[in-house]
């Protein structure tokens, strides 16, 4: 199981994630935001306030995604792409 080491919340409701295998991936939360507890994540201020807990991203009302979901449903990016090079 992969673990999230660090994360950044973007204005477009995606998460830029660095995993324990060194990969950098982007996870789009938008497909989940109409479902149950995840609707709160539509608030950008709330979305940007999270912690890394047990290898995943977790918000204060305990919304989280399984690390496997974050890894498997995200897109791998090259570090150069993130820098806009």
């Amino acid at each position: 199981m992969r673990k999230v080491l660090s994360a950044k919340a973007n204005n477009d409701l995606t998460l830029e994630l660095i995993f324990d295998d060194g990969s950098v991936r982007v996870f789009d939360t938008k497909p989940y935001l109409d479902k149950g507890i995840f609707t709160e994540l539509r608030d950008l201020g709330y979305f940007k306030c999270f912690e890394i807990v047990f290898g995943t991203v977790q918000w204060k009302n305990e919304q989280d995604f399984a690390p496997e979901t974050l890894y498997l449903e995200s897109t791998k990016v090259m570090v150069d792409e993130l820098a806009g090079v």
Side-chain angles (χ1 to χ4, degrees):
M1 174 177 75
R2 294 287 171 219
K3 293 183 180 181
V4 175
L5 298 180
S6 67
K8 175 186 170 199
N10 298 312
N11 290 338
D12 64 354
L13 301 173
T14 61
L15 295 169
E16 186 178 305
L17 306 162
I18 299 177
F19 286 88
D20 60 352
D21 66 350
S23 65
V24 178
R25 305 179 73 87
V26 174
F27 179 78
D28 186 359
T29 65
K30 289 185 285 301
Y32 298 90
L33 300 184
D34 290 329
K35 297 178 177 134
I37 64 169
F38 294 114
T39 58
E40 234 177 338
L41 300 180
R42 286 187 251 168
D43 179 302
L44 190 57
Y46 183 79
F47 179 71
K48 289 191 170 195
C49 284
F50 63 86
E51 295 182 86
I52 305 297
V53 178
F54 301 116
T56 194
V57 177
Q58 185 179 69
W59 288 267
K60 72 177 181 176
N61 291 334
E62 298 187 8
Q63 296 100 331
D64 64 7
F65 294 94
E68 298 87 4
T69 299
L70 292 175
Y71 191 84
L72 295 172
E73 294 188 19
S74 60
T75 304
K76 187 173 183 176
V77 295
M78 303 304 295
V79 177
D80 292 348
E81 291 177 44
L82 296 175
V85 174

XYZ file of all heavy atoms in Angstrom:
688
model
N 0.836 -1.185 0.000
C 0.000 0.000 0.000
C 0.878 1.244 0.000
O 1.785 1.375 0.800
C -0.906 -0.007 1.231
C -1.700 1.265 1.361
S -2.849 1.309 2.741
C -1.756 1.561 4.114
N 0.603 2.133 -0.899
C 1.315 3.408 -0.972
C 0.776 4.354 0.082
O -0.396 4.295 0.443
C 1.153 4.035 -2.355
C 1.811 3.256 -3.443
C 3.302 3.420 -3.344
N 3.957 2.504 -4.251
C 5.065 1.862 -3.953
N 5.637 2.021 -2.790
N 5.621 1.061 -4.818
N 1.652 5.259 0.544
C 1.250 6.264 1.520
C 1.564 7.653 0.977
O 2.581 7.853 0.313
C 2.001 6.059 2.836
C 1.615 4.793 3.539
C 2.337 4.682 4.847
C 1.939 3.388 5.535
N 2.597 3.239 6.817
N 0.698 8.595 1.296
C 0.912 9.992 0.942
C 1.901 10.581 1.946
O 1.701 10.479 3.156
C -0.414 10.783 0.984
C -0.169 12.257 0.730
C -1.406 10.218 -0.025
N 2.967 11.198 1.428
C 3.936 11.862 2.294
C 3.647 13.343 2.433
O 3.857 13.926 3.494
C 5.354 11.669 1.747
C 5.863 10.235 1.661
C 7.280 10.225 1.098
C 5.811 9.549 3.012
N 3.181 13.962 1.339
C 2.823 15.377 1.390
C 1.759 15.650 0.333
O 1.596 14.884 -0.613
C 4.037 16.284 1.198
O 4.548 16.173 -0.105
N 1.053 16.756 0.541
C -0.036 17.090 -0.373
C -0.216 18.597 -0.428
O 0.106 19.311 0.513
C -1.321 16.423 0.090
N -0.747 19.033 -1.548
C -1.089 20.441 -1.746
C -2.484 20.475 -2.365
O -2.759 19.767 -3.340
C -0.083 21.107 -2.683
C -0.432 22.543 -3.035
C 0.516 23.082 -4.081
C 0.015 24.428 -4.592
N 0.598 24.774 -5.866
N -3.373 21.290 -1.794
C -4.717 21.462 -2.337
C -4.702 22.607 -3.336
O -4.248 23.700 -3.019
C -5.698 21.747 -1.207
N -5.180 22.343 -4.531
C -5.203 23.345 -5.591
C -6.579 24.001 -5.704
O -7.584 23.427 -5.293
C -4.819 22.702 -6.925
C -3.416 22.142 -6.888
O -2.481 22.810 -6.465
N -3.270 20.895 -7.313
N -6.621 25.194 -6.287
C -7.872 25.955 -6.438
C -8.913 25.248 -7.302
O -10.091 25.548 -7.219
C -7.592 27.342 -7.003
C -6.887 28.232 -6.010
O -6.933 28.009 -4.798
N -6.212 29.252 -6.504
N -8.477 24.307 -8.142
C -9.416 23.580 -9.002
C -9.934 22.299 -8.341
O -10.461 21.418 -9.003
C -8.784 23.285 -10.357
C -7.581 22.354 -10.261
O -7.143 22.009 -9.138
O -7.053 21.974 -11.323
N -9.763 22.200 -7.010
C -10.220 21.068 -6.214
C -9.510 19.765 -6.560
O -10.072 18.679 -6.442
C -11.746 20.912 -6.287
C -12.532 22.123 -5.795
C -14.021 21.949 -6.064
C -12.298 22.373 -4.308
N -8.265 19.892 -6.982
C -7.408 18.727 -7.146
C -6.385 18.728 -6.015
O -6.125 19.760 -5.393
C -6.668 18.717 -8.500
O -5.820 19.871 -8.590
C -7.648 18.678 -9.663
N -5.813 17.565 -5.787
C -4.750 17.412 -4.801
C -3.479 17.005 -5.512
O -3.477 16.053 -6.301
C -5.114 16.327 -3.770
C -6.311 16.602 -2.884
C -6.688 15.329 -2.131
C -5.998 17.726 -1.902
N -2.427 17.714 -5.248
C -1.100 17.364 -5.748
C -0.447 16.549 -4.636
O -0.269 17.030 -3.522
C -0.329 18.644 -6.010
C 1.001 18.475 -6.650
C 1.613 19.849 -6.881
O 0.972 20.698 -7.534
O 2.733 20.052 -6.375
N -0.124 15.304 -4.925
C 0.311 14.359 -3.910
C 1.712 13.824 -4.181
O 2.049 13.548 -5.338
C -0.661 13.171 -3.861
C -2.132 13.525 -3.683
C -3.009 12.356 -4.079
C -2.387 13.945 -2.253
N 2.481 13.657 -3.142
C 3.762 12.968 -3.242
C 3.645 11.701 -2.406
O 3.288 11.754 -1.218
C 4.931 13.836 -2.752
C 5.032 15.095 -3.621
C 6.237 13.035 -2.782
C 6.108 16.072 -3.189
N 3.904 10.569 -3.047
C 3.781 9.269 -2.399
C 5.132 8.734 -1.947
O 6.187 9.217 -2.372
C 3.118 8.277 -3.363
C 1.650 8.506 -3.523
C 1.169 9.386 -4.475
C 0.742 7.856 -2.709
C -0.189 9.609 -4.623
C -0.618 8.066 -2.840
C -1.097 8.945 -3.803
N 5.079 7.699 -1.129
C 6.294 7.119 -0.567
C 7.180 6.423 -1.599
O 8.318 6.088 -1.305
C 5.968 6.175 0.591
C 5.088 5.008 0.196
O 4.573 4.964 -0.938
O 4.887 4.124 1.063
N 6.693 6.227 -2.812
C 7.544 5.675 -3.870
C 8.220 6.789 -4.675
O 8.892 6.529 -5.667
C 6.750 4.759 -4.803
C 5.687 5.485 -5.620
O 5.416 6.683 -5.347
O 5.109 4.847 -6.515
N 8.023 8.043 -4.246
C 8.634 9.187 -4.914
C 7.804 9.754 -6.047
O 8.151 10.792 -6.608
N 6.703 9.113 -6.380
C 5.887 9.611 -7.489
C 5.080 10.835 -7.063
O 4.692 10.985 -5.907
C 4.950 8.522 -8.023
O 3.991 8.152 -7.056
N 4.869 11.703 -8.039
C 4.042 12.899 -7.860
C 2.805 12.673 -8.711
O 2.900 12.377 -9.900
C 4.789 14.176 -8.306
C 3.898 15.394 -8.156
C 6.083 14.345 -7.521
N 1.640 12.801 -8.077
C 0.395 12.493 -8.760
C -0.635 13.570 -8.451
O -0.555 14.231 -7.429
C -0.113 11.116 -8.341
C 0.935 10.018 -8.557
C 0.444 8.656 -8.123
N -0.540 8.108 -9.032
C -0.250 7.401 -10.123
N 0.994 7.157 -10.456
N -1.207 6.935 -10.885
N -1.614 13.736 -9.341
C -2.699 14.697 -9.135
C -4.014 13.919 -9.091
O -4.329 13.147 -10.005
C -2.720 15.767 -10.246
C -3.945 16.665 -10.092
C -1.447 16.596 -10.208
N -4.759 14.138 -7.999
C -6.046 13.480 -7.789
C -7.158 14.521 -7.898
O -7.121 15.550 -7.217
C -6.072 12.827 -6.403
C -7.363 12.150 -6.078
C -7.662 10.906 -6.602
C -8.278 12.747 -5.225
C -8.858 10.268 -6.296
C -9.473 12.124 -4.912
C -9.758 10.876 -5.446
N -8.138 14.251 -8.740
C -9.274 15.157 -8.944
C -10.417 14.729 -8.014
O -10.972 13.637 -8.169
C -9.719 15.099 -10.398
C -10.788 16.120 -10.734
O -11.216 16.873 -9.835
O -11.184 16.167 -11.909
N -10.770 15.584 -7.064
C -11.837 15.246 -6.112
C -13.229 15.530 -6.661
O -14.220 15.057 -6.094
C -11.668 16.034 -4.790
O -11.829 17.427 -5.043
C -10.332 15.755 -4.141
N -13.331 16.279 -7.755
C -14.637 16.738 -8.233
C -15.662 15.614 -8.452
O -16.832 15.804 -8.125
C -14.483 17.597 -9.481
C -13.854 18.962 -9.162
C -13.794 19.898 -10.328
C -12.746 19.590 -11.349
N -11.354 19.550 -10.908
N -15.287 14.433 -8.949
C -16.299 13.378 -9.121
C -16.943 12.914 -7.809
O -17.997 12.287 -7.831
C -15.519 12.233 -9.770
C -14.363 12.897 -10.442
C -14.008 14.061 -9.552
N -16.343 13.225 -6.685
C -16.838 12.778 -5.385
C -17.653 13.840 -4.645
O -18.273 13.542 -3.633
C -15.661 12.374 -4.493
C -14.871 11.229 -5.054
C -13.791 11.454 -5.895
C -15.203 9.911 -4.742
C -13.063 10.401 -6.429
C -14.486 8.853 -5.267
C -13.421 9.098 -6.108
O -12.711 8.056 -6.630
N -17.627 15.069 -5.117
C -18.145 16.184 -4.332
C -19.663 16.274 -4.237
O -20.181 17.100 -3.497
C -17.561 17.504 -4.850
C -16.044 17.596 -4.789
C -15.578 18.964 -5.227
C -15.507 17.245 -3.413
N -20.386 15.422 -4.937
C -21.846 15.377 -4.817
C -22.293 14.209 -3.944
O -23.481 13.929 -3.839
C -22.499 15.249 -6.200
C -22.358 16.523 -7.004
O -22.330 17.608 -6.395
O -22.265 16.430 -8.239
N -21.332 13.542 -3.303
C -21.630 12.331 -2.545
C -21.450 12.544 -1.050
O -20.358 12.832 -0.576
C -20.726 11.199 -3.019
C -20.961 10.849 -4.472
C -20.035 9.774 -4.962
C -20.401 9.437 -6.386
N -19.345 9.336 -7.276
N -22.528 12.406 -0.302
C -22.509 12.365 1.151
C -21.581 13.341 1.839
O -21.673 14.552 1.641
N -20.669 12.795 2.611
C -19.784 13.626 3.433
C -18.818 14.470 2.613
O -18.264 15.435 3.129
C -18.992 12.779 4.453
C -18.054 11.802 3.758
C -19.925 12.062 5.407
C -17.068 11.128 4.681
N -18.624 14.135 1.358
C -17.661 14.870 0.547
C -18.177 16.215 0.045
O -17.413 17.030 -0.455
C -17.175 14.024 -0.624
C -16.385 12.821 -0.197
C -16.869 11.550 -0.418
C -15.166 12.963 0.443
C -16.149 10.432 -0.018
C -14.436 11.862 0.851
C -14.935 10.586 0.620
N -19.475 16.485 0.171
C -20.021 17.754 -0.330
C -19.371 18.955 0.353
O -19.237 20.009 -0.256
C -21.551 17.823 -0.157
O -21.878 17.672 1.223
C -22.243 16.752 -0.981
N -18.948 18.788 1.592
C -18.292 19.870 2.331
C -16.988 20.314 1.663
O -16.560 21.448 1.832
C -17.971 19.386 3.753
C -18.500 20.264 4.811
C -18.219 19.716 6.208
O -17.997 18.511 6.396
O -18.237 20.548 7.118
N -16.383 19.429 0.903
C -15.105 19.745 0.260
C -15.259 20.745 -0.880
O -14.264 21.266 -1.378
C -14.432 18.469 -0.260
C -14.101 17.403 0.784
C -13.448 16.209 0.123
C -13.216 17.958 1.883
N -16.483 21.033 -1.292
C -16.711 22.037 -2.343
C -16.312 23.436 -1.883
O -16.049 24.301 -2.700
C -18.170 22.045 -2.771
C -18.529 20.853 -3.615
C -19.928 21.002 -4.139
N -20.758 20.040 -3.437
C -22.076 20.027 -3.457
N -22.735 20.941 -4.116
N -22.743 19.117 -2.812
N -16.306 23.659 -0.571
C -15.881 24.941 -0.004
C -14.355 24.986 -0.057
O -13.672 24.223 0.633
C -16.367 25.044 1.443
C -15.937 26.329 2.116
O -14.713 26.587 2.179
O -16.806 27.061 2.603
N -13.819 25.871 -0.899
C -12.371 25.910 -1.135
C -11.579 26.149 0.147
O -10.525 25.547 0.349
C -12.032 26.970 -2.192
C -10.607 26.972 -2.714
C -10.216 25.623 -3.304
C -10.424 28.077 -3.747
N -12.078 27.009 1.029
C -11.392 27.253 2.292
C -11.289 25.989 3.121
O -10.249 25.691 3.712
N -12.379 25.248 3.180
C -12.396 23.978 3.912
C -11.488 22.958 3.226
O -10.728 22.248 3.874
C -13.829 23.451 4.019
C -13.941 22.183 4.816
C -13.933 22.213 6.199
C -14.047 20.946 4.182
C -14.024 21.043 6.942
C -14.138 19.783 4.908
C -14.123 19.828 6.289
O -14.203 18.674 7.017
N -11.594 22.890 1.907
C -10.813 21.937 1.118
C -9.312 22.079 1.374
O -8.587 21.096 1.433
C -11.122 22.141 -0.374
C -10.369 21.229 -1.296
C -10.668 19.883 -1.360
C -9.359 21.722 -2.117
C -9.987 19.031 -2.222
C -8.672 20.892 -2.971
C -8.989 19.539 -3.023
N -8.874 23.310 1.547
C -7.441 23.557 1.699
C -6.924 23.289 3.115
O -5.724 23.339 3.341
C -7.110 24.980 1.268
C -7.237 25.144 -0.243
C -6.659 26.448 -0.705
C -6.582 26.460 -2.225
N -5.730 27.532 -2.712
N -7.807 23.014 4.061
C -7.403 22.736 5.449
C -7.465 21.240 5.714
O -8.520 20.709 6.059
C -8.304 23.476 6.426
S -7.945 25.207 6.544
N -6.370 20.569 5.548
C -6.314 19.126 5.749
C -5.004 18.763 6.443
O -4.116 19.593 6.588
C -6.422 18.380 4.409
C -5.271 18.681 3.489
C -4.094 17.961 3.570
C -5.358 19.700 2.560
C -3.017 18.252 2.735
C -4.301 19.997 1.725
C -3.130 19.273 1.815
N -4.909 17.526 6.847
C -3.683 16.985 7.423
C -3.373 15.660 6.742
O -4.272 15.018 6.192
C -3.855 16.717 8.919
C -4.075 17.949 9.769
C -4.191 17.570 11.227
O -3.139 17.453 11.890
O -5.336 17.369 11.680
N -2.124 15.251 6.824
C -1.748 13.907 6.405
C -1.867 13.033 7.647
O -1.191 13.272 8.653
C -0.301 13.856 5.846
C -0.118 14.855 4.701
C 0.056 12.432 5.425
C -0.966 14.606 3.492
N -2.744 12.039 7.586
C -2.994 11.152 8.719
C -2.973 9.710 8.212
O -3.707 9.381 7.267
C -4.366 11.458 9.369
C -4.647 10.517 10.517
C -4.434 12.904 9.821
N -2.152 8.892 8.824
C -2.059 7.477 8.449
C -1.868 7.271 6.949
O -2.490 6.404 6.337
C -3.275 6.692 8.948
C -3.456 6.739 10.428
C -4.573 7.341 10.982
C -2.499 6.208 11.276
C -4.742 7.398 12.354
C -2.659 6.255 12.657
C -3.780 6.852 13.199
N -1.042 8.110 6.328
C -0.695 7.942 4.930
C -1.720 8.414 3.931
O -1.645 8.071 2.753
N -2.688 9.214 4.394
C -3.673 9.763 3.470
C -4.011 11.191 3.871
O -3.556 11.697 4.884
C -4.940 8.881 3.392
O -5.711 9.291 2.258
C -5.776 8.944 4.635
N -4.837 11.832 3.067
C -5.275 13.199 3.319
C -6.579 13.132 4.106
O -7.495 12.388 3.736
C -5.507 13.936 1.973
C -6.035 15.329 2.192
C -4.217 13.966 1.165
N -6.662 13.914 5.199
C -7.880 13.914 6.012
C -8.254 15.339 6.393
O -7.396 16.132 6.774
C -7.687 13.078 7.273
C -8.948 12.945 8.108
C -8.729 12.092 9.329
O -8.032 12.485 10.251
N -9.302 10.903 9.311
N -9.560 15.650 6.298
C -10.082 16.955 6.672
C -10.643 16.895 8.087
O -10.836 15.815 8.654
C -11.152 17.382 5.672
C -10.552 17.752 4.349
C -10.175 19.002 3.946
C -10.233 16.878 3.265
N -9.644 18.958 2.677
C -9.658 17.652 2.239
C -10.358 15.500 3.061
C -9.244 17.122 1.034
C -9.925 14.968 1.859
C -9.385 15.783 0.872
N -10.947 18.068 8.677
C -11.299 18.137 10.098
C -12.561 17.370 10.459
O -12.700 16.921 11.591
C -11.388 19.582 10.574
C -12.580 20.358 10.068
C -12.623 21.752 10.639
C -13.843 22.496 10.131
N -13.946 23.798 10.748
N -13.492 17.195 9.546
C -14.688 16.401 9.834
C -14.505 14.941 9.414
O -15.471 14.228 9.167
C -15.920 17.020 9.184
C -16.300 18.328 9.852
O -15.999 18.556 11.021
N -16.936 19.206 9.111
N -13.249 14.549 9.314
C -12.805 13.178 9.064
C -13.116 12.631 7.679
O -13.113 11.427 7.459
C -13.311 12.234 10.155
C -12.764 12.617 11.513
C -13.103 11.623 12.616
O -13.639 10.532 12.311
O -12.816 11.946 13.771
N -13.369 13.523 6.707
C -13.456 13.044 5.334
C -12.046 12.624 4.920
O -11.075 13.308 5.243
C -13.928 14.138 4.378
C -15.316 14.634 4.625
C -15.331 15.937 5.384
O -14.446 16.240 6.168
N -16.357 16.734 5.165
N -11.967 11.534 4.218
C -10.683 11.110 3.662
C -10.929 10.164 2.491
O -12.043 9.726 2.256
C -9.778 10.463 4.717
C -10.338 9.162 5.287
O -11.371 8.657 4.790
O -9.752 8.641 6.246
N -9.877 9.939 1.759
C -9.886 8.977 0.670
C -8.875 7.900 1.026
O -7.813 8.210 1.579
C -9.475 9.631 -0.658
C -10.454 10.652 -1.163
C -10.287 11.997 -0.869
C -11.540 10.273 -1.926
C -11.185 12.945 -1.329
C -12.449 11.212 -2.392
C -12.271 12.560 -2.095
N -9.171 6.675 0.719
C -8.205 5.607 0.957
C -6.944 5.918 0.161
O -7.031 6.400 -0.978
C -8.781 4.264 0.523
N -5.763 5.654 0.736
C -4.535 5.927 -0.013
C -4.496 5.191 -1.352
O -3.957 5.702 -2.331
C -3.407 5.478 0.910
C -4.017 4.984 2.155
C -5.503 5.116 2.051
N -5.094 4.007 -1.397
C -5.125 3.248 -2.650
C -5.946 3.984 -3.703
O -5.591 4.001 -4.876
C -5.744 1.852 -2.430
C -4.986 0.973 -1.485
C -5.385 1.171 -0.017
O -6.321 1.948 0.284
O -4.746 0.558 0.844
N -7.040 4.595 -3.280
C -7.872 5.372 -4.204
C -7.098 6.570 -4.724
O -7.094 6.844 -5.933
C -9.167 5.840 -3.503
O -9.906 4.690 -3.096
C -10.021 6.707 -4.423
N -6.438 7.277 -3.817
C -5.649 8.447 -4.233
C -4.580 8.046 -5.244
O -4.345 8.764 -6.218
C -4.993 9.103 -3.016
C -5.940 9.775 -2.026
C -5.155 10.270 -0.814
C -6.697 10.909 -2.678
N -3.954 6.909 -5.028
C -2.870 6.472 -5.915
C -3.409 5.967 -7.254
O -2.960 6.403 -8.313
C -2.039 5.385 -5.230
C -0.760 5.077 -5.949
C 0.379 5.856 -5.731
C -0.670 4.022 -6.842
C 1.565 5.584 -6.388
C 0.515 3.748 -7.504
C 1.626 4.528 -7.282
O 2.811 4.264 -7.938
N -4.372 5.069 -7.191
C -4.849 4.421 -8.414
C -5.709 5.322 -9.296
O -5.736 5.157 -10.515
C -5.630 3.154 -8.067
C -4.804 2.047 -7.412
C -5.712 0.920 -6.935
C -3.730 1.532 -8.361
N -6.397 6.286 -8.705
C -7.286 7.144 -9.489
C -6.678 8.519 -9.773
O -7.375 9.422 -10.216
C -8.631 7.281 -8.780
C -9.366 5.952 -8.735
C -10.775 6.051 -8.218
O -11.338 7.162 -8.210
O -11.306 5.006 -7.823
N -5.400 8.646 -9.525
C -4.719 9.914 -9.810
C -3.884 9.775 -11.073
O -3.684 8.677 -11.586
C -3.825 10.301 -8.625
O -2.851 9.301 -8.391
N -3.432 10.908 -11.546
C -2.609 10.956 -12.747
C -1.174 11.270 -12.356
O -0.931 12.246 -11.628
C -3.124 12.062 -13.697
O -4.496 11.810 -13.975
C -2.323 12.104 -14.976
N -0.261 10.449 -12.825
C 1.150 10.694 -12.543
C 1.619 11.878 -13.386
O 1.281 11.984 -14.561
C 1.986 9.462 -12.866
C 3.424 9.593 -12.446
C 4.188 8.301 -12.634
C 5.606 8.485 -12.135
N 6.371 7.243 -12.199
N 2.364 12.761 -12.748
C 2.900 13.918 -13.458
C 4.399 13.984 -13.245
O 4.921 13.486 -12.257
C 2.246 15.246 -12.997
C 0.780 15.286 -13.349
C 2.435 15.476 -11.529
N 5.045 14.601 -14.194
C 6.471 14.836 -14.063
C 6.652 16.132 -13.291
O 5.847 17.060 -13.431
C 7.134 14.938 -15.443
C 6.910 13.715 -16.316
S 7.447 12.153 -15.586
C 9.187 12.402 -15.469
N 7.676 16.224 -12.489
C 7.921 17.417 -11.687
C 8.038 18.657 -12.577
O 7.562 19.717 -12.239
C 9.171 17.231 -10.805
C 9.479 18.500 -10.016
C 8.967 16.066 -9.855
N 8.617 18.510 -13.774
C 8.736 19.630 -14.712
C 7.371 20.195 -15.105
O 7.214 21.385 -15.286
C 9.472 19.215 -15.989
C 10.937 18.913 -15.725
O 11.439 19.246 -14.626
O 11.581 18.337 -16.608
N 6.353 19.313 -15.222
C 5.011 19.760 -15.581
C 4.434 20.659 -14.510
O 3.738 21.632 -14.798
C 4.083 18.556 -15.760
C 4.399 17.723 -16.981
C 3.495 16.517 -17.061
O 2.269 16.671 -16.840
O 3.998 15.425 -17.343
N 4.700 20.357 -13.263
C 4.177 21.158 -12.150
C 4.835 22.525 -12.096
O 4.228 23.499 -11.705
C 4.377 20.431 -10.825
C 3.619 19.116 -10.684
C 3.998 18.421 -9.389
C 2.128 19.353 -10.748
N 6.083 22.603 -12.496
C 6.808 23.868 -12.483
C 6.464 24.725 -13.694
O 6.900 25.868 -13.802
C 8.308 23.617 -12.421
N 5.710 24.163 -14.641
C 5.329 24.906 -15.827
C 6.454 25.022 -16.846
O 6.445 25.865 -17.714
N 7.425 24.105 -16.757
C 8.569 24.129 -17.682
C 8.184 23.452 -18.969
O 7.494 22.491 -19.004
C 9.788 23.412 -17.034
C 10.923 23.294 -18.010
C 10.205 24.156 -15.804
